[in-house]
Coordinates of all heavy atoms in Angstrom, one line a residue:
W1137 N -37.7 18.5 8.7 CA -39.0 18.5 8.0 C -39.5 19.9 7.9 O -39.5 20.6 9.0 CB -40.0 17.6 8.6 CG -39.8 16.2 8.5 CD1 -39.2 15.3 9.3 CD2 -40.3 15.3 7.4 NE1 -39.2 14.0 8.8 CE2 -39.9 14.0 7.6 CE3 -40.9 15.6 6.2 CZ2 -40.1 13.0 6.7 CZ3 -41.2 14.6 5.3 CH2 -40.9 13.3 5.5
F1138 N -39.9 20.3 6.8 CA -40.5 21.6 6.5 C -41.8 21.4 5.8 O -42.1 20.4 5.3 CB -39.6 22.5 5.7 CG -38.3 22.9 6.3 CD1 -37.3 22.0 6.5 CD2 -38.1 24.2 6.8 CE1 -36.1 22.4 7.1 CE2 -36.9 24.5 7.4 CZ -35.9 23.6 7.5
R1139 N -42.6 22.5 5.8 CA -43.8 22.4 5.0 C -44.1 23.8 4.4 O -43.6 24.8 4.9 CB -45.1 22.1 5.9 CG -45.5 23.1 6.9 CD -46.5 22.6 7.8 NE -46.9 23.6 8.8 CZ -47.5 23.3 9.9 NH1 -48.0 22.0 10.2 NH2 -47.8 24.2 10.9
R1140 N -44.7 23.8 3.3 CA -45.1 25.0 2.6 C -46.6 25.0 2.3 O -47.1 24.2 1.5 CB -44.4 25.2 1.3 CG -44.8 26.5 0.5 CD -44.0 26.6 -0.7 NE -42.7 27.2 -0.5 CZ -41.7 27.1 -1.3 NH1 -41.8 26.5 -2.4 NH2 -40.5 27.6 -1.0
A1141 N -47.3 25.9 3.0 CA -48.8 26.0 2.7 C -49.0 26.9 1.5 O -48.1 27.7 1.2 CB -49.5 26.6 3.9
H1142 N -50.1 26.8 0.9 CA -50.4 27.6 -0.3 C -50.2 29.1 0.0 O -50.9 29.6 0.9 CB -51.8 27.3 -0.8 CG -52.1 28.0 -2.1 ND1 -51.4 27.8 -3.3 CD2 -53.0 29.0 -2.4 CE1 -52.0 28.5 -4.2 NE2 -52.9 29.4 -3.7
G1143 N -49.4 29.8 -0.8 CA -49.2 31.2 -0.7 C -48.3 31.6 0.5 O -48.2 32.8 0.8
K1144 N -47.7 30.6 1.2 CA -46.8 31.0 2.3 C -45.4 30.5 2.2 O -45.1 29.7 1.3 CB -47.5 30.4 3.6 CG -48.8 30.9 4.0 CD -49.3 30.3 5.3 CE -50.6 30.9 5.7 NZ -51.0 30.4 7.1
E1145 N -44.6 31.0 3.0 CA -43.2 30.6 3.0 C -43.0 29.2 3.6 O -43.9 28.8 4.3 CB -42.3 31.6 3.8 CG -42.3 33.0 3.3 CD -41.5 33.1 2.0 OE1 -40.5 32.5 1.9 OE2 -42.0 33.9 1.1
R1146 N -41.9 28.6 3.2 CA -41.6 27.3 3.8 C -41.3 27.5 5.2 O -40.7 28.3 5.7 CB -40.4 26.7 3.0 CG -40.2 25.2 3.3 CD -39.1 24.7 2.3 NE -39.5 24.7 0.9 CZ -38.8 24.2 -0.1 NH1 -37.7 23.5 0.2 NH2 -39.2 24.3 -1.3
E1147 N -41.9 26.6 6.0 CA -41.9 26.6 7.5 C -41.2 25.4 8.1 O -41.6 24.3 7.7 CB -43.3 26.8 8.0 CG -43.5 26.7 9.5 CD -44.9 26.6 9.9 OE1 -45.8 26.2 9.0 OE2 -45.2 26.9 11.1
F1148 N -40.3 25.6 9.1 CA -39.7 24.5 9.8 C -40.7 23.9 10.7 O -41.5 24.6 11.4 CB -38.5 25.0 10.6 CG -37.9 24.1 11.6 CD1 -37.0 23.1 11.1 CD2 -38.2 24.1 12.9 CE1 -36.4 22.2 11.9 CE2 -37.6 23.2 13.8 CZ -36.7 22.3 13.3
V1149 N -40.9 22.5 10.7 CA -41.8 21.9 11.6 C -41.1 20.8 12.5 O -41.7 20.5 13.5 CB -42.9 21.1 10.8 CG1 -43.7 22.1 10.0 CG2 -42.4 20.0 9.9
A1150 N -39.9 20.4 12.2 CA -39.2 19.4 13.1 C -37.8 19.2 12.6 O -37.5 19.3 11.4 CB -40.0 18.1 13.1
G1151 N -36.9 19.0 13.5 CA -35.5 18.7 13.2 C -34.9 17.7 14.1 O -35.4 17.5 15.3
I1152 N -33.9 16.9 13.6 CA -33.3 15.8 14.5 C -31.8 15.8 14.1 O -31.4 16.1 13.0 CB -34.0 14.5 14.2 CG1 -33.5 13.5 15.2 CG2 -33.7 14.1 12.7 CD1 -34.4 12.2 15.2
S1153 N -31.1 15.6 15.1 CA -29.6 15.5 15.0 C -29.1 14.2 14.3 O -30.0 13.3 14.1 CB -28.9 15.7 16.3 OG -29.3 14.6 17.2
Q1154 N -27.9 14.1 14.0 CA -27.4 12.9 13.3 C -27.7 11.6 14.0 O -28.2 10.7 13.3 CB -25.8 13.0 13.2 CG -25.3 14.2 12.4 CD -23.8 14.3 12.7 OE1 -23.4 14.4 13.8 NE2 -23.1 14.1 11.6
S1155 N -27.5 11.6 15.3 CA -27.8 10.3 16.0 C -29.2 10.1 16.4 O -29.6 9.0 16.8 CB -26.9 10.3 17.2 OG -27.3 11.3 18.2
G1156 N -30.0 11.2 16.4 CA -31.3 11.2 16.9 C -31.4 11.6 18.4 O -32.5 11.6 18.9
M1157 N -30.3 12.0 19.0 CA -30.3 12.3 20.4 C -30.9 13.6 20.7 O -31.4 13.8 21.8 CB -28.9 12.3 21.0 CG -27.9 13.4 20.4 SD -26.3 13.2 21.0 CE -26.5 14.0 22.6
S1158 N -31.0 14.4 19.7 CA -31.6 15.8 19.9 C -32.7 16.0 18.8 O -32.5 15.7 17.7 CB -30.5 16.9 19.8 OG -29.6 16.7 20.7
T1159 N -33.7 16.7 19.2 CA -34.8 17.1 18.4 C -35.2 18.5 18.7 O -35.0 19.0 19.8 CB -36.0 16.1 18.4 OG1 -36.5 16.1 19.8 CG2 -35.6 14.7 18.0
H1160 N -36.0 19.1 17.8 CA -36.5 20.5 18.0 C -37.7 20.6 17.2 O -37.9 20.2 16.1 CB -35.4 21.5 17.6 CG -35.9 22.9 18.0 ND1 -35.7 23.4 19.2 CD2 -36.5 23.9 17.2 CE1 -36.1 24.6 19.3 NE2 -36.7 24.9 18.1

C-alpha cells in the first residue's frame, strides 16, 4: 500500500509477503 498526499511523492505505507508471513 502506498499513498500520495497533495503535492508530494508517492509514499510506502505497508507491505506484505505472498503468504502474509512477513509485513513491513
Side-chain angles (χ1 to χ4, degrees):
W1137 284 96
F1138 291 75
R1139 68 186 177 199
R1140 177 178 282 162
H1142 182 67
K1144 295 187 177 181
E1145 296 291 319
R1146 196 171 295 191
E1147 172 191 19
F1148 172 79
V1149 299
I1152 190 166
S1153 61
Q1154 296 169 299
S1155 66
M1157 63 183 284
S1158 298
T1159 60
H1160 186 84

